[in-house]
Every structure is written in structure tokens, then in C-alpha cells.
Amino acid sequence: CDASIKPAGANERIKAPALNLVDKSGCEDAFCGTFAAALHEKFPVETAVRRACAAAALTATKHGTYSAMPYGADIEDILKKS
């Protein structure tokens, strides 16, 4: 799950962390939910997109949907590593 944003007219591509894909079910939900939560928490848009991409990538490493959703600490950990 990569994403593109256009801050101040420039186009920036944000790459998701490279992880082993197991199941893409729930990735979109993880992305949207994490993006919305990050904006609600007043993160800048770029940071919200990075968090959302990480959440979607982490979700794809497990089978299922709800059970595959990452916790905030998991997102923080993967962002520190990438």
C-alpha cells in the first residue's frame, strides 16, 4: 500500500514498509481507520499517511481482518525500523 500526497502542490509518494504479504483482506480498512485516527489526533497529513501505510502493511502480514489489525505500538515500531 503506497500512497501519494500533494502538499503545497508537490507530489510525494509514500512507500509502505516492505513486509511479507500473507493476506490483503482488511488492508483498506486498516489504512482508512489509521488515517482517520491520526488526523483526529492532529498528526500532519504526511505523518497520518505514513502511519496508515504502515498499518495496512502490517495487516497484510496476518490472515484475517479484525484479528490482523495492528496496535498503535506495532505501527510505531515498524515506522522506527523503516
Side-chain angles (χ1 to χ4, degrees):
C1 166
D2 295 342
S4 293
I5 60 173
K6 292 187 177 195
N11 191 18
E12 181 179 354
R13 183 145 187 99
I14 296 177
K15 303 283 275 174
L19 302 172
N20 293 326
L21 174 69
V22 173
D23 182 359
K24 295 190 301 183
S25 302
C27 291
E28 297 88 356
D29 294 333
F31 182 94
C32 291
T34 303
F35 181 68
L39 291 179
H40 178 74
E41 294 176 19
K42 308 289 189 228
F43 282 102
V45 171
E46 181 181 340
T47 302
V49 171
R50 287 188 193 288
R51 293 176 65 80
C53 285
L58 285 167
T59 299
T61 66
K62 299 177 184 173
H63 289 285
T65 54
Y66 179 77
S67 61
M69 298 290 170
Y71 288 97
D74 300 325
I75 295 168
E76 293 294 331
D77 287 345
I78 199 69
L79 288 174
K80 287 177 186 172
K81 293 176 186 174
S82 59

